[in-house]
Amino acid sequence: MSPKQTQRPVAAIDLGATSGRVMIGELVDGRIQLTLVHRFANGPVALSEFETDASSQSLAWDIDGLWSQIKVGLKKAFELRADIASIGVDSWAVDYALLKDGRRLGQVRHYRDPRNELAVPELEKKFSRAELFERNGLQFLPFNTIYQLEAEQQEQRLASADQLLLVPDYINWLLTGQARCEWTNASTTGLLNQRTGTWDQELVRELGVAYKLAQIVYPGETVGSLLPELAQEFGATNSVQVVAVASHDTASAVAATPLASEKSAYISCGTWGLAGVELTEPVLTSQAQRAGFTNELGLEGSVRFLKNVTGTFLLSESLSYWNLQAKQAGDAEVQLDDLLAEAQRLPVPQVLIDPQEEQFLAPGKMPVRISEAIIDAGGFAPESKVELIRIIIESLASSFASQTHEAARLGGFDLEDIHIVGGGSQGELLCQRIADLARVPVTAGPVECTALGNVLVQLRALPEGSHRVNDLRAVVRRSTVLHHYQPVGALKLA
């Protein structure tokens, strides 16, 4: 006999920098059940694959390929559950589609595109980093939307466009025909003024997007109804709403992170590592700006005060490099789980890397760059793959430990514990070393926190579900198994 179902299910589209998936979520006996329906690969593609005159260095996303996979996933979802009530979309931040007369102009450029770095000094001739931080509260990163738009002004399509939509808003537009901009993701662009919570009119005029930005909506608001032709294609048997979730994937993840108290820090560890605290007001001080922290908006007006650092990207890029070599040599593929198991037995490395350094932002030859950085810092190049993996894990743990303490300090309190979610929460060595170095307990899980946040915001938006999932984090605690790590030894932060 199946468990008692309390309300209709929802579909979550969760797009990450390396993969995407479509999931079904439902509330059963007070707990969330997630069903993976469809998973697909994602990643940067050379713009020259789409545009023959493009530079070989220019990068884009295969957004049409992603849309095709999303439709495959939604069709499978409705085949499993024809009574799906709503759909929600979350994705990575900062990247956007440009439209004119309801048609996309060119490709969605990738945030790692080299053109962004070239645009930084041009924008900073008009607005210093300190002034930008005072307006938008964002950590300087060369791929922030404002720098991408400065680069766009050297190209024709921005002047031609009449609409700019961030990636999840673009998918929502494809689903409904309605153009909206969800608030949490808007806060990552650099165009939203942290003091007013609205578009910064001087910046949007300067960057050529005045009158091209959509109406802001908030998590839980309805974007529109699923287009009839798509409902027919998917096999939906009832009206389906598309709901604005906390569409920046980190906002969804933090919304569902079951923090122990107001003095907890979180780490959302995937391709990127986001380490920070949840506050009620932004921290716009010069100290926060110099320390490289960012203020992004979360559910119910919360502020995610955090720092972006490179996360498991270091591991995945190293693995890709080694497996390319293995393929060329006709050898077996390298397995990350095997390397991690061996790495636990190695001593703590004496020389580490700083995952925040710009040299680790770009893809390609990651083990070579890490080895060079170790040598430059006075150490010896790792002699094996396992040694290099141990250096990455220790470097990530050291960075996360120090940044969470710094976030708490700048936020005005002493850190009591850390909660890590996402793929990195499965790494026992990483979690234990964060606890050791931060000298506070660490709780790990759930892995699928982003999808949980997406689903929970949708369920709460349904008329029959609001009272059942009012406390999102309480539902997560009931729905998942959490793992706990206590600090070992009197270790100091690196």
Side-chain angles (χ1 to χ4, degrees), residues 167-197:
V167 168
D169 302 319
Y170 175 64
I171 301 300
N172 284 341
W173 177 77
L174 291 173
L175 290 167
T176 66
Q178 301 297 314
R180 300 289 186 271
C181 183
E182 190 278 316
W183 194 55
T184 67
N185 218 0
S187 74
T188 72
T189 63
L191 298 169
L192 198 74
N193 190 296
Q194 279 283 354
R195 299 185 187 279
T196 66

Side-chain angles (χ1 to χ4, degrees), residues 65-138:
L66 288 176
W67 173 236
S68 296
Q69 292 296 329
I70 288 168
K71 290 198 292 182
V72 169
L74 287 175
K75 188 172 183 180
K76 289 180 178 179
F78 280 96
E79 286 173 355
L80 286 172
R81 297 297 300 269
D83 59 337
I84 286 171
S86 65
I87 300 168
V89 184
D90 69 77
S91 87
W92 68 93
V94 305
D95 292 342
Y96 54 85
L98 291 170
L99 286 74
K100 180 177 176 59
D101 298 329
R103 295 177 64 86
R104 196 181 73 242
L105 299 176
Q107 303 304 313
V108 174
R109 298 291 281 270
H110 194 287
Y111 60 82
R112 296 188 192 274
D113 192 302
R115 71 176 186 157
N116 303 328
E117 301 245 7
L118 301 175
V120 170
E122 292 304 311
L123 182 58
E124 291 181 352
K125 289 176 183 177
K126 309 162 195 171
F127 302 93
S128 69
R129 290 187 191 181
E131 182 181 357
L132 287 170
F133 184 83
E134 198 276 334
R135 289 169 178 264
N136 58 37
L138 293 188

Side-chain angles (χ1 to χ4, degrees), residues 7 49 109 190 222:
Q7 66 184 97
E49 291 195 17
R109 298 291 281 270
T222 299

Side-chain angles (χ1 to χ4, degrees), residues 118-416:
L118 301 175
V120 170
E122 292 304 311
L123 182 58
E124 291 181 352
K125 289 176 183 177
K126 309 162 195 171
F127 302 93
S128 69
R129 290 187 191 181
E131 182 181 357
L132 287 170
F133 184 83
E134 198 276 334
R135 289 169 178 264
N136 58 37
L138 293 188
Q139 169 188 5
F140 166 72
L141 290 167
F143 51 71
N144 285 345
T145 311
I146 52 175
Y147 298 114
Q148 295 196 46
L149 290 173
E150 180 66 32
E152 283 281 2
Q153 296 196 78
Q154 309 305 315
E155 303 174 12
Q156 180 59 36
R157 67 173 187 157
L158 180 61
S160 302
D162 56 29
Q163 191 86 65
L164 181 151
L165 294 173
L166 296 170
V167 168
D169 302 319
Y170 175 64
I171 301 300
N172 284 341
W173 177 77
L174 291 173
L175 290 167
T176 66
Q178 301 297 314
R180 300 289 186 271
C181 183
E182 190 278 316
W183 194 55
T184 67
N185 218 0
S187 74
T188 72
T189 63
L191 298 169
L192 198 74
N193 190 296
Q194 279 283 354
R195 299 185 187 279
T196 66
T198 57
W199 298 121
D200 188 303
Q201 293 305 312
E202 186 177 1
L203 277 174
V204 299
R205 284 195 301 270
E206 181 63 42
L207 291 167
V209 291
Y211 311 110
K212 298 179 183 182
L213 299 172
Q215 173 188 336
I216 291 175
V217 294
Y218 300 91
E221 293 187 14
T222 299
V223 175
S225 298
L226 183 65
L227 290 170
E229 59 268 30
L230 290 177
Q232 183 177 8
E233 179 181 344
F234 300 152
T237 59
N238 46 256
S239 176
V240 179
Q241 299 302 303
V242 175
V243 173
V245 297
S247 68
H248 180 203
D249 50 12
T250 308
S252 273
V254 173
T257 300
L259 300 175
S261 74
E262 294 179 351
K263 295 185 177 182
S264 300
Y266 56 81
I267 299 168
S268 179
C269 187
T271 301
W272 284 96
L274 299 310
V277 296
E278 191 172 62
L279 303 174
T280 58
E281 298 290 338
V283 181
L284 302 175
T285 63
S286 59
Q287 293 94 326
Q289 189 254 331
R290 289 194 300 271
F293 277 82
T294 201
N295 295 269
E296 297 171 353
L297 299 175
L299 202 62
E300 297 174 345
S302 61
V303 174
R304 291 176 288 116
F305 182 64
L306 58 87
K307 183 174 282 189
N308 291 267
V309 298
T310 299
T312 57
F313 179 71
L314 296 173
L315 296 172
S316 61
E317 279 295 304
S318 296
L319 206 65
S320 295
Y321 177 77
W322 290 326
N323 281 331
L324 178 60
Q325 290 183 319
K327 183 177 181 180
Q328 292 170 344
D331 297 332
E333 281 197 349
V334 179
Q335 299 298 320
L336 181 59
D337 288 345
D338 295 338
L339 294 175
L340 290 172
E342 291 183 55
Q344 292 194 64
R345 296 191 286 270
L346 295 182
V348 175
Q350 295 301 305
V351 179
L352 305 178
I353 62 168
D354 182 355
Q356 298 176 75
E357 291 293 329
E358 290 188 17
Q359 69 199 87
F360 304 121
L361 288 178
K365 297 185 178 179
M366 189 62 71
V368 175
R369 282 184 275 151
I370 290 173
S371 295
E372 290 172 349
I374 292 294
I375 293 170
D376 290 344
F380 297 98
E383 296 181 356
S384 67
K385 296 179 179 65
V386 176
E387 286 186 27
L388 189 132
I389 290 294
R390 186 69 174 86
I391 287 170
I392 292 175
I393 295 298
E394 193 69 20
S395 299
L396 289 174
S398 176
S399 177
F400 287 145
S402 61
Q403 298 307 333
T404 48
H405 270 286
E406 183 69 354
R409 185 187 70 80
L410 291 168
F413 62 89
D414 292 329
L415 184 63
E416 291 184 351

